[in-house]
Amino acid sequence: MMTPEQNFMRKIEAEEKIEPKDWMPEAYRQNLIRQISQHAHSEVIGMQPEGNWITRAPSLRRKAVLLSKVQDEGGHGLYLYSATETLGVKRADLIAAMQSGEAKYASIFNYPTQTWADIGAIGWLVDGAAIVNQISLQRTSYGPYSRAMIRICKEESFHQRQGYELMIALAHGSPAQKAMAQDALNRFYWPALMMFGPHDAESAHSAKSMTWKIKRETNDDLRQKFIDQTVPQIEFLGLVHPDQDLKWNAERGHYDSGEIDWKEFYNVINGNGHCNRQRVEHHIRAHEEGAWVRDAMTAYNAKQRAKTTE
Ligand code: 3HC
């Protein structure tokens, strides 16, 4: 007769999804709560940098596209909070942890969006990196997370494509527009590589996450995929690659790249990036201002429930 641990690992090996009511090691549950809630925080905080440009978009078409993208991100966040709640935690506690700085969100969203080209670079590079990561996560062992990723990935390709199309318009536009595109690429390229996390050797969670098939590919493998796919995209734009040390390695069949500034990475994830304080203060303000909506929903649902039990 197998122990619960043995049966759990048998299911993991057999590629059976772990569902909310299944037995799971407490450390597996805690790791999922950490990763999925931080993924949700990232989606919601990520609405701010792009949201800044909705009223400044250069055309009605660009405004409509950006509006729908930002709305999608909010929906992804709510979807991922629901997936986290299946692990027996309260959404209010997750949000409190993010607002207090105890829980993280993706470092990339602590960089300011200074020009319209940044909106293109975010769609192209940030959503591009997110797609590489999230396609892999579609195969994660926890059922609700895997299903959330499958649904979210369907919307991400539109996010990446609208960003790259914006960059094509600028890079193939006037010299001033091309310079703006190059500036945005220079400022967002390296922080986009940081989205994949520290090197595998420095990753606190990767070993366990790979054993439990929470992660299906490592930080460095996913980062390499993104680096390789971005080279021809930069070439097509006619822009200069921000990594001066980038070199094709025929033996590896991949590009060797320069080193990421890990001091900057840890500085940002430990709360000292350009916009960390601003992003969290904005979230706290919006959350407080929206409390009446949540209270009204709760009161309405209670009334509906009371009606059905009369
Ligand atoms: N930003 C902030 N924190 C980061 C980070 C980043 N880019 N990369 C790593 N970290 C943190 C980890 O959370 C962990 O800290 P913790 O123990 O307090 O949680 C620490 O650095 C060590 O990193 P590990 O590699 O050990 O952590 P993970 O195994 O969790 O790997 C990850 C990090 C690759 C981000 C993984 O958590 C993951 O795949 N998460 C799901 C994807 C995600 O969250 N993406 C965020 C962007 S969402 C987005 O871009 C929306 C899009 O639509 C725009």
Side-chain angles (χ1 to χ4, degrees):
M1 173 73 171
M2 275 196 266
T3 65
E5 287 84 353
Q6 287 166 336
N7 190 38
F8 170 79
M9 279 317 293
R10 179 198 59 74
K11 293 172 78 169
I12 295 285
E13 296 313 323
E15 296 288 337
E16 289 174 31
K17 292 296 177 217
I18 305 298
E19 296 301 335
K21 292 211 175 4
D22 292 345
W23 186 91
M24 62 183 85
E26 182 55 18
Y28 175 83
R29 196 175 72 85
Q30 287 304 329
N31 195 347
L32 283 171
I33 291 169
R34 176 193 63 84
Q35 174 162 333
I36 308 173
S37 63
Q38 293 185 160
H39 196 158
H41 300 329
S42 305
E43 299 276 6
V44 171
I45 294 289
M47 295 167 78
Q48 291 187 38
E50 290 176 306
N52 279 342
W53 280 86
I54 290 175
T55 55
R56 302 182 172 98
S59 70
L60 182 60
R61 174 175 172 269
R62 288 285 178 202
K63 185 196 201 89
V65 167
L66 184 56
L67 198 53
S68 61
K69 176 183 189 297
V70 172
Q71 265 175 322
D72 281 352
E73 308 298 9
H76 295 172
L78 300 184
Y79 211 69
L80 288 165
Y81 282 130
S82 301
T84 320
E85 285 171 323
T86 64
L87 291 155
V89 286
K90 285 198 175 59
R91 187 173 307 204
D93 297 341
L94 301 174
I95 288 174
M98 183 268 283
Q99 292 185 344
S100 67
E102 186 197 324
K104 295 184 170 68
Y105 56 87
S107 50
I108 186 78
F109 297 124
N110 288 311
Y111 290 80
T113 41
Q114 294 165 333
T115 74
W116 174 249
D118 291 7
I119 299 306
I122 288 177
W124 166 37
L125 296 172
V126 175
D127 287 76
I131 289 170
V132 170
N133 169 286
Q134 290 171 162
I135 283 177
S136 176
L137 279 172
Q138 288 181 130
R139 293 182 296 119
T140 191
S141 57
Y142 187 56
Y145 196 23
S146 162
R147 292 187 289 272
M149 284 296 97
I150 290 166
R151 175 162 165 178
I152 285 172
C153 282
K154 288 186 181 18
E155 293 178 338
E156 288 293 356
S157 47
F158 145 63
H159 297 174
Q160 194 267 356
R161 224 186 305 256
Q162 63 82 36
Y164 192 60
E165 189 220 11
L166 194 162
M167 291 300 275
I168 292 174
L170 294 175
H172 297 175
S174 68
Q177 286 175 324
K178 182 169 185 177
M180 194 161 70
Q182 182 67 59
D183 164 57
L185 170 59
N186 294 344
R187 283 185 289 107
F188 277 90
Y189 178 75
W190 293 101
L193 297 193
M194 296 175 194
M195 286 174 67
F196 295 96
H199 281 310
D200 298 344
E202 279 79 48
S203 169
H205 303 287
S206 283
K208 269 289 181 207
S209 293
M210 293 294 284
T211 307
W212 288 327
K213 297 188 182 178
I214 292 177
K215 268 185 183 178
R216 301 310 304 260
E217 291 161 273
T218 70
N219 297 1
D220 285 326
D221 287 349
L222 290 175
R223 190 180 357 256
Q224 184 65 66
K225 259 189 200 168
F226 177 72
I227 289 168
D228 291 347
Q229 76 181 32
T230 309
V231 175
Q233 294 169 347
I234 293 175
E235 272 161 20
F236 180 76
L237 291 174
L239 299 178
V240 175
H241 199 294
D243 179 357
Q244 304 300 325
D245 299 326
L246 191 91
K247 206 164 54 308
W248 177 250
N249 181 325
E251 222 174 280
R252 287 195 327 125
H254 294 290
Y255 283 92
D256 291 338
S257 65
E259 195 47 65
I260 289 170
D261 179 347
W262 293 110
K263 199 163 146 292
E264 178 181 329
F265 170 76
Y266 283 106
N267 205 24
V268 176
I269 73 167
N270 290 323
N272 307 312
H274 293 281
C275 301
N276 295 56
R277 233 188 322 283
Q278 172 190 339
R279 300 287 186 237
V280 173
E281 281 167 6
H282 179 103
H283 187 282
I284 291 170
R285 204 172 40 254
H287 196 67
E288 284 167 357
E289 284 167 6
W292 69 271
V293 179
R294 293 191 295 278
D295 297 345
M297 289 282 289
T298 312
Y300 174 78
N301 291 335
K303 246 162 82 182
Q304 293 305 96
R305 266 197 305 278
K307 263 195 211 141
T308 50
T309 50
E310 270 163 10

